Amino acid sequence: QVHSNAVWNANGVADREREGDGLVTKEIGKWIGIRTADCVPILLLDSRTRAVGAVHAGWRGTSEEIVRRAIEKMSGEFGTIAADVYAAIGPCIRGCCYEVGGAVAARFERFFPEWEGVQDKCKLDLTEANQRQMVAAGVLHEQVFDCGLCTVCEDKEFFSYRRDPENAGRMIASICRVA
């Protein structure tokens, strides 16, 4: 994972063969996943074709619309229609704890039209940015499930690079098509 918007089809790809932050597959029995500490883990499921995706959405990937690219990759590779996609968002840093500078915030103005100009510092909600991107891509709002847990606030439950940069572990989010 390299904090990009690169999404790869995992079919026929050896472990760690390519760099990127998203994987998709339709192969039965193939587990795909991503590692996170504060970045947004997003798991995708196409209820019609049964294709699945795993997305690591940090601020760079989110600003470059990695989740939209994953849905497009599933569409191009497997015939996914966005309205058939279900998404699960796991624990990540939330807007309550994620303050960014003006340069980073400026990259998100197009996702948050209600912002009235970017200040020197801003609370950034990456989950909301990713949800808005999925809905704009055609995923139904009611098919996006967010656990609502903050990796920084829930210090006994989750790893957080922002909270503990010297000793931040990683969590794994994975998905597999079983039939």
Side-chain angles (χ1 to χ4, degrees), residues 1-5 20-23 34-42 54-58 61-62 66:
Q1 296 173 183
V2 292
H3 293 275
S4 69
N5 69 348
D21 289 271
L23 290 169
I34 48 93
R35 298 178 325 131
T36 60
D38 288 316
C39 296
V40 184
I42 304 170
V55 176
H56 168 262
T62 300
I66 188 169

Side-chain angles (χ1 to χ4, degrees), residues 47-60:
S47 63
R48 185 179 49 82
T49 69
R50 296 182 156 174
V52 294
V55 176
H56 168 262
W59 75 261
R60 286 178 186 86

Side-chain angles (χ1 to χ4, degrees), residues 118-134:
V118 174
Q119 307 300 315
D120 290 340
K121 294 189 178 198
C122 177
K123 294 282 189 169
L124 178 57
D125 187 344
L126 290 177
T127 57
E128 181 66 24
N130 280 286
Q131 287 181 35
R132 289 180 182 195
Q133 290 173 32
M134 286 186 271

Side-chain angles (χ1 to χ4, degrees), residues 2-179:
V2 292
H3 293 275
S4 69
N5 69 348
V7 178
W8 299 99
N9 184 333
N11 297 353
V13 174
D15 189 34
R16 300 177 194 261
E17 184 177 37
R18 296 190 179 122
E19 290 186 338
D21 289 271
L23 290 169
V24 298
T25 187
K26 194 177 170 185
E27 193 173 317
I28 295 172
K30 183 167 197 105
W31 284 93
I32 57 173
I34 48 93
R35 298 178 325 131
T36 60
D38 288 316
C39 296
V40 184
I42 304 170
L43 301 176
L44 303 170
L45 165 67
D46 178 336
S47 63
R48 185 179 49 82
T49 69
R50 296 182 156 174
V52 294
V55 176
H56 168 262
W59 75 261
R60 286 178 186 86
T62 300
S63 72
E64 295 175 11
E65 301 186 62
I66 188 169
V67 73
R68 179 188 54 79
R69 290 180 53 87
I71 294 165
E72 288 173 353
K73 184 77 165 175
M74 291 170 70
S75 178
E77 299 279 333
F78 314 121
T80 293
I81 297 167
D84 294 329
V85 171
Y86 286 78
I89 299 173
C92 59
I93 195 167
R94 301 290 169 150
C96 56
C97 295
Y98 195 35
E99 188 173 81
V100 298
V104 172
R107 296 177 68 169
F108 288 86
E109 285 182 288
R110 69 183 191 267
F111 305 121
F112 296 103
E114 68 274 14
W115 286 1
E116 293 184 21
V118 174
Q119 307 300 315
D120 290 340
K121 294 189 178 198
C122 177
K123 294 282 189 169
L124 178 57
D125 187 344
L126 290 177
T127 57
E128 181 66 24
N130 280 286
Q131 287 181 35
R132 289 180 182 195
Q133 290 173 32
M134 286 186 271
V135 169
V139 177
L140 303 176
H141 186 266
E142 59 271 14
Q143 292 175 189
V144 178
F145 303 92
D146 181 1
C147 75
L149 297 171
C150 179
T151 52
V152 178
C153 291
E154 303 287 335
D155 62 334
K156 303 281 190 260
E157 303 297 323
F158 305 111
F159 295 113
S160 169
Y161 182 82
R162 175 130 322 190
R163 184 186 67 239
D164 191 13
E166 300 299 317
N167 192 27
R170 297 293 185 268
M171 299 166 291
I172 296 173
S174 62
I175 190 167
C176 177
R177 177 181 171 182
V178 295

